[in-house]
Structure formats: C-alpha cells, structure tokens
Amino acid sequence: MEASLRSLLDWYERAGVETPDLPLARSVRRVRTKPVETPPPPTPKPAKFAASDPAPIAAACKTIAELKAALDSYDAGALSDSARQAVLARGNPEADLMIIGEAPGRDEDQAGLPFVGRSGQLLDRMLGAIGLNSGGAEANDVYIANVCFWRPPNNRKPDPDELELCRPFVNRHIELAKPKLILLAGGTSMQVMTGITGIMRNRGQWQTINVGTGDIPALPIYHPAFLLRQPALKAEAWQDLLTLRERLADVVQD
C-alpha cells in the first residue's frame, strides 16, 4: 500500500495537484525526500616529485669542482631532503684507478666523503694490501666515489628511480676523472654501470664501461660492507685484488 501511495503522490506532484496532508502521506514524503548521503571525494595523492632533468646539468659541468657545486645545489626530492649533503668523492681525481661504490651511509653523510666508515676502513686496508695508498692526505693512487650521491632515507639501498636520477652525474664524473681502470664495489654499482646482475657470479671478471670517452675496463668485486658480514669470502676478494694489481701494473707500464 505504501508503494502505491508513494507512486500516486509522485503523479499528483508532477501534475501540480496539491496532495492531502495525511499522516501516511507525510511519512512517505519524508522517506522519499531524505537526502542521499554521498561519500566525500577521495583526498588526492601528492604528485611524485619531479626533479629537474639532470642530464643537461651534468653535461654543463666542465670540471669536477663544477660537478660538486651542481650536486650541492641540485634538488633530488626526498633523496636529497633526507641527506645532510651531497657526497661526491675522495682521493686523487687524476689517479689511474677509480673505485665506484653504492651510496653514502651515516658516516659518509656526516663527513661529506665516501667510504669513511667501517666499510671504508676495510677498503683502505684491502687496497693497502696490494700497495695502493687510499687514505690520508697522500692518497694519490685511487679516486673513490659512488653511483648515488645522497644517503637514502633510513640508510636503505637506493631504488632504481634514484639511481637513474644520479646516472648522468655518475657518467659525467667518470668523463671528467678519465680513469684508466674502474673497480666496481658491490652488486649495485656493477648493475648500474654494466647492466649485469649477480655479483657472486660476476665478481673478478673484467667488464667494459663506455660513458662517451672510450672503453674503460671495470672489475666488479664484493662491497666491503658485504665482506664485513661475510668474512669467509675475503679469500675470493683477495684473488680479485690480485687480478686488479696485475692489470694496474700493465697500465703503469703503458
């Protein structure tokens, strides 16, 4: 009956006929005219940070000092927001050997230099074992950098987008330093610079890097931080260092 009355009232109202003010009619009107509650629109998600294109900025740098200044002023979004400063390199930029690791950690972020924490101390000892000076004011034998210039939030690994953002600066860094050999410390560095994955399968095997200045031999090795967690692998790391020393001797002779 209520449905029939509602239909009749609707017809009366469309026809302009005044409907009787009966209790049941008032009840039907209240049901019919109750506003429909619609959910609020979803809160829009903030747009992903769009950093400036790093390629032309990196290409415009004519010296390593200009590259450092560009990194210091570059806004890499959350990556640079969470870091104290950009970390470029330490050592001799004119050295025959360039070492490229992953990203700064807490100690590196505070000091503004790569490989100065526990893993950096191990790296210095490893290089010293084959006669290379990489520490102190007389560090003339090597030039040490990373594929990521800012400490990632919570000290995590840099994600692919962050590595891609840094890549033009990394390539320009190599172009300006002009090393004769590159040591790739860790799987992340190896993958970024060669596209190869699997550090345990590929460590100790020479690869080739070309960033526009010709082919550069590159040797992947275990990252020192990994060796601190897996000391049993130091024997393999020693073999890789001997491979490096042999190739360096050939470079010096040339």
Side-chain angles (χ1 to χ4, degrees), residues 18-46:
E18 184 177 351
T19 56
D21 189 21
L22 299 176
L24 183 57
R26 289 196 297 270
S27 175
V28 170
R29 289 192 191 96
R30 285 197 298 271
V31 172
R32 188 182 67 242
T33 60
K34 183 179 180 180
V36 178
E37 295 183 1
T38 57
T43 302
K45 294 182 179 180

Side-chain angles (χ1 to χ4, degrees), residues 188-207:
T188 299
S189 175
M190 180 186 70
Q191 183 174 355
V192 169
M193 300 311 304
T194 69
I196 298 172
T197 60
I199 186 65
M200 300 192 76
R201 294 191 308 270
N202 295 287
R203 49 138 287 267
Q205 301 179 34
W206 286 101
Q207 309 295 330

